[in-house]
């Protein structure tokens, strides 16, 4: 039985060393960036978001070292890129209890917030309750947590959901793994879902509802899925690619500067350690 209080992919966390420079790189790929946000003082981090339909991407960087961002700092010592994925929690406290009941020592929920500069001026507040799966439970190196949005209207702001590349949703997260089947089974146990083997040997784990999937695969399979895209900068194991749905493939190709008839994608060197790919929504 799937978790009742965790309902699918909410957002992905892309860890970056230079927050403002990363925002400019993603803006150059056709994304509308939120104004820069600053998290609660104990978190010591800041972010930019790229809001889609029901999900989003978050660029996260360290502003002040704190105990809370020690994990982020450790990740950034090795590389930039896909560090964690968040699920939407309808009730973070109940979701954490569900996870504990399945034998995993979830931590939280923890409440935090951040001010949200509004596109037209003024400021609102975004508030969240968050819980985490144990830090040692990272399938193929990808961390997971769950986020209950208490003020969705201050996060999914209509002006921030329109992008020059036409992006509308996260279709899937692709994760490099030495043993894709074992890594997929690991995630499936953590979120109480089933892994499905795909025709090319990759393993897919649905996140829930109509939200994006997780796909675990080896490097050769990743290369075959994204022909002509350089994989330099991707880890041996860990979050590697984001496949986004777009309502306008021509607009996505123009934003990325890809030639007609080629894969509409950007290599990790252009997207702070992430292979970015567009497909029709």
């Amino acid at each position: 039985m799937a978790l009742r209080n965790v309902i699918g992919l909410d957002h992905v966390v892309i860890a970056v060393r230079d927050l403002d420079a990363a925002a400019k790189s993603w803006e150059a790929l056709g994304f509308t960036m939120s104004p820069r946000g600053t998290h609660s003082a104990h978190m010591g981090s800041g972010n930019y978001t790229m809001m889609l339909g029901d999900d989003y991407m978050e660029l996260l960087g360290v502003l002040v070292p704190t105990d809370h961002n020690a994990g982020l700092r450790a990740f950034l010592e090795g590389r930039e890129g896909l560090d964690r994925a968040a699920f939407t929690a309808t009730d973070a406290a109940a979701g954490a209890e569900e996870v504990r009941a399945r034998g995993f020592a979830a931590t939280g929920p923890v409440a935090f917030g951040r001010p949200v500069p509004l596109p037209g001026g003024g400021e609102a507040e975004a508030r969240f309750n968050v819980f985490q799966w144990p830090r040692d439970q990272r399938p193929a190196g990808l961390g997971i947590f769950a986020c209950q949005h208490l003020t969705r209207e201050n996060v999914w702001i209509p002006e921030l959901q329109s992008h020059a590349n036409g992006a509308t949703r996260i279709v899937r997260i692709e994760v490099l793994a030495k043993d894709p089947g074992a890594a997929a089974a690991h995630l499936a146990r953590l979120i109480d879902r089933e892994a499905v083997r795909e025709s090319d040997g990759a393993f897919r784990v649905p996140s829930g509802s109509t939200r994006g999937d997780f796909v675990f695969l080896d490097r050769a399979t990743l290369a075959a899925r994204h022909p002509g895209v350089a994989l330099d900068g991707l880890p041996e194991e860990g979050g590697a690619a984001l496949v986004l749905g777009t309502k306008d493939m021509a607009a996505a190709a123009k934003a990325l500067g890809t030639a007609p008839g080629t894969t509409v994608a950007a290599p990790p060197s252009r997207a702070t350690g992430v292979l970015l790919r567009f497909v029709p929504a």
Side-chain angles (χ1 to χ4, degrees):
M1 179 183 294
L3 300 171
R4 289 198 283 182
N5 294 283
V6 177
I7 60 168
L9 182 67
D10 188 86
H11 66 278
V12 295
V13 176
I14 301 164
V16 300
R17 294 174 178 138
D18 186 327
L19 194 52
D20 294 334
K24 290 179 181 178
S25 294
W26 285 80
E27 190 172 36
L29 296 171
F31 291 99
T32 299
M33 308 301 300
S34 71
R36 176 169 160 167
T38 303
H39 292 139
S40 305
H42 76 281
M43 298 185 71
S45 52
N47 75 343
Y48 287 92
T49 61
M50 292 163 276
M51 304 306 303
L52 304 173
D54 293 321
D55 49 33
Y56 64 98
M57 299 175 291
E58 176 183 16
L59 304 178
L60 183 67
V62 175
L63 302 182
V64 179
T66 68
D67 289 343
H68 192 278
N69 61 44
L72 174 63
R73 286 184 283 119
F75 181 89
L76 287 170
E77 286 178 4
R79 67 180 182 100
E80 296 182 291
L82 283 167
D83 176 22
R84 284 166 277 166
F87 295 87
T88 299
T90 55
D91 183 322
E97 285 302 322
E98 283 189 278
V99 171
R100 293 185 191 109
R102 286 157 174 77
F104 300 103
T107 58
V110 174
F112 76 98
R114 61 177 172 87
V116 178
L118 299 175
E123 187 175 272
E125 182 185 21
R127 293 184 290 111
F128 317 86
N129 288 333
V130 172
F131 77 85
Q132 296 191 20
W133 278 259
R135 293 183 183 276
D136 62 353
Q137 299 290 328
R138 292 175 64 100
L142 184 73
I144 61 172
F145 65 104
C147 180
Q148 178 185 3
H149 290 271
L150 304 177
T151 53
R152 289 184 67 88
E153 70 279 5
N154 294 337
V155 179
W156 275 269
I157 298 171
E159 295 94 322
L160 299 179
Q161 292 178 270
S162 178
H163 304 280
N165 55 34
T168 60
R169 66 182 295 256
I170 300 172
V171 175
R172 62 182 176 270
I173 302 168
E174 295 181 339
V175 186
L176 283 168
K178 296 176 183 177
D179 185 337
H186 185 185
L187 177 62
R189 289 193 302 273
L190 292 172
I191 63 173
D192 209 355
R193 294 194 176 273
E194 293 187 3
V196 179
R197 185 182 178 97
E198 302 203 313
S199 59
D200 61 358
F203 289 82
R204 177 175 55 87
V205 180
S207 74
S209 186
T210 58
R211 308 290 181 84
D213 295 332
F214 293 82
V215 174
F216 294 85
L217 69 181
D218 60 26
R219 205 173 192 89
T221 306
L222 182 74
R225 285 188 170 210
H226 307 289
V229 183
L231 306 186
D232 298 345
L234 293 179
E236 186 175 357
E237 280 203 313
L242 285 175
V243 179
L244 304 184
T246 176
K247 62 185 179 182
D248 189 336
M249 285 295 292
K254 180 179 179 181
L256 270 59
T258 58
T262 60
T263 304
V264 180
S269 59
R270 293 183 61 193
T272 53
V274 179
L275 191 163
L276 180 67
R277 170 80 181 273
F278 286 91
V279 297

